Amino acid sequence: MTRRVVYRRGFIRSPDVPDATALCVEGDTVTWLGHEDELDGYLTGADEVVDLRGRLVTPAFVDAHVHLSQTGLRLAGLDLSDAPTREAVLDALSARARQDPAAVILGFGWDETGWPDPRPPTLAELDRAAPQRPVYLARVDVHSALVSSGLVARAPELTTTPGWDGTGRVERDA
């Protein structure tokens, strides 16, 4: 049986009803969205009524966070968003390592999901492309990255942090 939950007395943001204050959800589907004074019919048969007490609800807006620091760093970093392969990422990294004497090479935007071979570069491959250089290459979603041995040497605690697996890919706490 599908559960009906009514949310009321809130600020519901939706392009269809921009000043909505209530909504009804049946299972995982929003079945109604509107104003508190139009809610009566949806209260009947509700399994639960949640008083939002003025809180904001954004139906279907799943990922409400941003990576502001990475956005700023990306402006001066190595743009890998157009790299069609692992080899292209490594070539771009190698070129940056030769031309940029910066202490740490920061790269952003690689996405292995469209590559013919979707394996990301390994720690050893990063080390060959940028010998002895600390390298941090953030994936397109900025929820994981690739790091070199040079970076691990500067932050050895990575190797004992959840999200480190020794391949050069870091995620979660690492």
Side-chain angles (χ1 to χ4, degrees), residues 40-98:
D40 290 341
Y42 292 91
L43 290 171
T44 305
D47 296 296
E48 182 179 359
V49 177
V50 177
D51 186 343
L52 295 169
R53 292 183 240 162
R55 291 185 181 96
L56 173 67
V57 175
T58 56
F61 190 63
V62 176
D63 193 358
H65 73 281
V66 296
H67 297 272
L68 195 55
S69 296
Q70 289 87 345
T71 301
L73 291 170
R74 185 177 186 151
L75 294 173
L78 176 60
D79 183 2
L80 300 170
S81 60
D82 291 330
T85 62
R86 175 179 63 258
E87 293 77 17
V89 167
L90 293 167
D91 290 346
L93 173 59
S94 182
R96 178 58 68 97
R98 287 191 306 272

Side-chain angles (χ1 to χ4, degrees), residues 67 70 110 112 120-121 136-147 151-152 157-174:
H67 297 272
Q70 289 87 345
W110 61 273
E112 79 287 6
Y136 181 89
L137 305 179
R139 192 175 178 283
V140 66
D141 61 7
V142 199
H143 287 274
S144 65
L146 304 171
V147 298
L151 189 98
V152 174
E157 65 277 6
L158 283 175
T159 62
T160 59
T161 304
W164 170 262
D165 67 3
T167 67
R169 187 166 184 160
V170 292
E171 47 192 35
R172 297 187 315 272
D173 295 345

Side-chain angles (χ1 to χ4, degrees), residues 4-73:
R4 176 187 279 187
V5 181
V6 173
Y7 298 86
R8 65 188 305 183
R9 296 188 184 111
F11 295 101
I12 316 297
R13 292 296 169 245
S14 167
D16 294 335
V17 187
D19 55 346
T21 59
L23 66 95
C24 179
V25 177
E26 295 186 34
D28 60 0
T29 303
V30 174
T31 56
W32 177 84
L33 177 74
H35 302 280
E36 184 77 24
D37 57 351
E38 301 164 344
L39 184 60
D40 290 341
Y42 292 91
L43 290 171
T44 305
D47 296 296
E48 182 179 359
V49 177
V50 177
D51 186 343
L52 295 169
R53 292 183 240 162
R55 291 185 181 96
L56 173 67
V57 175
T58 56
F61 190 63
V62 176
D63 193 358
H65 73 281
V66 296
H67 297 272
L68 195 55
S69 296
Q70 289 87 345
T71 301
L73 291 170

